């Protein structure tokens, strides 16, 4: 076999080659077709999977659960408050205990170090379902959606507007560098990504023909863009910063004007979701200026956000099957 990913952790896209990322996306595509055809290969028959969540989740939790069940595995949700993780038992000890009982572990939480310790000590594959630093499974779904729309990844122009230093922005930048994408972070300077990570991504980009641009100019950032992407302005755990972020990021809201500025009729809108785009949520009702995208954009013909959300299942399934499947 040329290569395989059996037994590997999935903590950050930095650990994967372009070929491996391409393989995961292609596998997701195949598993998606299989599911549409009603064919289930039961690649995870008899496996037990732990789903550890310190932060809430709709898509990631449901995608891991549905993907596991589709492939014949049992998924056990362990939420904040259900287990001792770091409170009465160290993360290292918890990892070694869970690794004796489960065949794979998903972690979503705050510190990236937690998922690294789980990965180092569990002895079974550990998958990062989002930390403060990275959200790698999201990017696989985003790239599958782009591939379905345009038929290729290398050469795509991808503009991310908003909080340029959050987990989704970081992972998109890494994934783009690996896959030859012309990637632009468009945000105010105070929210530019970590310089060390940008340097690392530019080094990777040198070998893949990717381009990494960091700019505060919307005109420069979105020109000719195929994809306009945004995320919430204050991530989970940053709720106290909402007012400050609204001030900083209001000019970077994704409006129809942003799409006009791309001068590209084929441009699409992506968002990892959940998205504030109207006042129908408790948080946006209480903070009416919080919307990172307008209702018009969210509901427009540009929007592919629900295809993208569905693709979370197929891509997460690919990660589990590739690292743990028979
Ligand atoms: N995109 C994403 O990770 O969604 P959830 O927070 O609902 O899992
Ligand atoms: N950046 C967001 C992503 C949610 C899927 C957060 O961490 O809250």
């Amino acid at each position: 076999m040329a290569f395989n990913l059996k037994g590997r952790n999935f903590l950050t896209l930095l650990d994967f080659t372009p070929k491996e990322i391409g393989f995961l996306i292609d596998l997701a595509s195949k598993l998606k077709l299989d599911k549409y055809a009603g064919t289930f290969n039961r690649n995870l028959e008899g496996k037990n999977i732990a789903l550890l969540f310190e932060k809430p989740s709709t898509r990631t939790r449901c995608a891991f659960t549905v993907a596991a069940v589709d492939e014949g595995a049992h998924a056990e949700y362990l939420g904040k408050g259900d287990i001792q993780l770091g409170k009465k038992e160290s993360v290292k000890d918890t990892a070694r205990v869970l690794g004796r009982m489960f065949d794979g572990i998903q972690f979503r939480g705050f510190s990236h170090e937690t998922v690294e310790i789980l990965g180092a000590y569990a002895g079974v594959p550990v998958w990062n379902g989002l930390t403060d630093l990275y959200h790698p499974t999201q990017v696989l779904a985003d790239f599958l959606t782009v591939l379905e729309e345009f038929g290729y990844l290398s050469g795509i122009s991808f503009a991310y507007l908003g909080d340029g230093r959050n987990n989704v922005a970081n992972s998109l930048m890494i994934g783009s560098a690996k896959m030859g994408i012309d990637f632009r972070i468009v945000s105010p300077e105070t929210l530019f990504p970590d310089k060390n990570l940008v340097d690392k991504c530019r080094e990777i980009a040198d070998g893949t023909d990717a381009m990494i641009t960091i700019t505060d100019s919307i005109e420069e950032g979105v020109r000719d863009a195929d994809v306009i992407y945004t995320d919430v302005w204050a991530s989970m755990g940053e709720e106290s910063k909402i007012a400050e972020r609204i001030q900083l990021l209001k000019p970077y809201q994704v409006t129809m004007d942003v799409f006009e500025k791309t001068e590209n009729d084929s441009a699409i809108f992506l968002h990892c979701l959940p998205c504030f785009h109207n006042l129908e949520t408790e948080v946006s009702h209480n903070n009416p200026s919080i919307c990172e995208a307008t209702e018009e954009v969210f509901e427009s013909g540009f929007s592919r956000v629900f295809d993208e959300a569905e693709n979370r299942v197929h891509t997460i399934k690919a990660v589990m099957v590739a690292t743990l499947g028979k």
Side-chain angles (χ1 to χ4, degrees):
M1 194 178 280
F3 74 93
N4 74 63
L5 304 180
K6 298 287 178 247
R8 292 269 298 272
N9 294 329
F10 189 79
L11 307 186
T12 163
L13 293 172
L14 286 169
D15 297 338
F16 290 81
T17 64
K19 186 174 168 185
E20 290 169 341
I21 296 169
F23 167 71
L24 287 170
I25 296 168
D26 288 348
L27 179 59
S29 209
K30 178 198 174 295
L31 293 169
K32 180 172 182 175
L33 286 179
D34 283 349
K35 180 163 173 141
Y36 281 12
T39 307
F40 295 96
N41 300 306
R42 314 282 293 177
N43 287 299
L44 301 172
E45 188 86 62
K47 305 286 188 196
N48 285 292
I49 286 162
L51 304 179
L52 275 52
F53 281 85
E54 288 181 342
K55 291 175 176 172
S57 164
T58 299
R59 280 142 289 271
T60 309
R61 173 183 178 174
C62 297
F64 268 99
T65 305
V66 169
V69 171
D70 278 355
E71 292 295 335
H74 167 75
E76 184 71 17
Y77 177 80
L78 299 163
K80 191 173 155 54
D82 288 336
I83 56 170
Q84 294 294 357
L85 190 70
K87 281 179 229 106
K88 271 182 71 179
E89 189 166 35
S90 67
V91 176
K92 184 171 162 182
D93 291 356
T94 307
R96 288 180 288 181
V97 170
L98 294 180
R100 295 292 183 102
M101 300 183 185
F102 289 94
D103 302 292
I105 298 170
Q106 183 278 168
F107 173 79
R108 162 173 289 200
F110 294 90
S111 166
H112 188 69
E113 201 190 346
T114 306
V115 81
E116 286 180 335
I117 298 172
L118 288 170
Y121 290 97
V124 297
V126 171
W127 309 299
N128 178 3
L130 179 150
T131 61
D132 286 347
L133 209 51
Y134 301 125
H135 196 6
T137 62
Q138 178 66 50
V139 172
L140 294 182
D142 301 339
F143 286 0
L144 175 59
T145 312
V146 171
L147 195 62
E148 288 171 340
E149 182 73 26
F150 297 101
Y152 59 94
L153 281 178
S154 184
I156 285 287
S157 306
F158 196 119
Y160 172 99
L161 278 72
D163 177 6
R165 36 139 301 281
N166 77 9
N167 41 20
V168 170
N170 287 343
S171 286
L172 282 171
M173 182 164 64
I174 298 164
S176 296
K178 297 260 177 181
M179 303 311 282
I181 290 172
D182 170 3
F183 182 72
R184 304 103 180 248
I185 293 260
V186 191
S187 76
E189 211 174 320
T190 43
L191 293 174
F192 278 0
D194 176 70
K195 190 177 172 315
N196 290 330
L197 184 61
V198 175
D199 289 347
K200 201 180 284 184
C201 288
R202 288 199 168 126
E203 240 172 70
I204 297 167
D206 280 344
T208 65
D209 287 338
M211 296 227 313
I212 306 294
T213 303
I214 314 292
T215 178
D216 63 1
S217 159
I218 295 170
E219 281 73 16
E220 180 196 355
V222 309
R223 193 173 304 129
D224 302 325
D226 298 305
V227 180
I228 299 292
Y229 197 112
T230 191
D231 185 10
V232 289
W233 292 342
S235 287
M236 289 179 275
E238 297 184 327
E239 289 72 14
S240 65
K241 297 194 169 133
I242 287 177
E244 173 195 323
R245 291 289 168 76
I246 288 173
Q247 284 292 107
L248 275 168
L249 288 169
K250 195 73 191 167
Y252 295 86
Q253 187 189 43
V254 177
T255 60
M256 285 308 223
D257 185 49
V258 167
F259 276 86
E260 269 173 40
K261 287 194 166 82
T262 66
E263 296 180 4
N264 178 1
D265 293 341
S266 314
I268 61 168
F269 173 64
L270 294 182
H271 190 304
C272 54
L273 304 184
C275 175
F276 294 122
H277 55 92
N278 61 32
L279 305 190
E280 290 172 19
T281 72
E282 200 182 302
V283 174
S284 55
H285 181 78
N286 294 333
N287 303 276
S289 303
I290 203 173
C291 295
E292 65 270 16
T294 60
E295 179 76 348
E296 202 182 1
V297 166
F298 190 87
E299 297 296 348
S300 73
F302 298 123
S303 182
R304 298 288 182 277
V305 296
F306 296 110
D307 298 314
E308 183 186 8
E310 180 198 323
N311 282 339
R312 298 297 308 286
V313 178
H314 310 299
T315 44
I316 281 171
K317 189 185 284 180
V319 170
M320 289 196 291
V321 167
T323 55
L324 184 61
K326 57 190 181 205

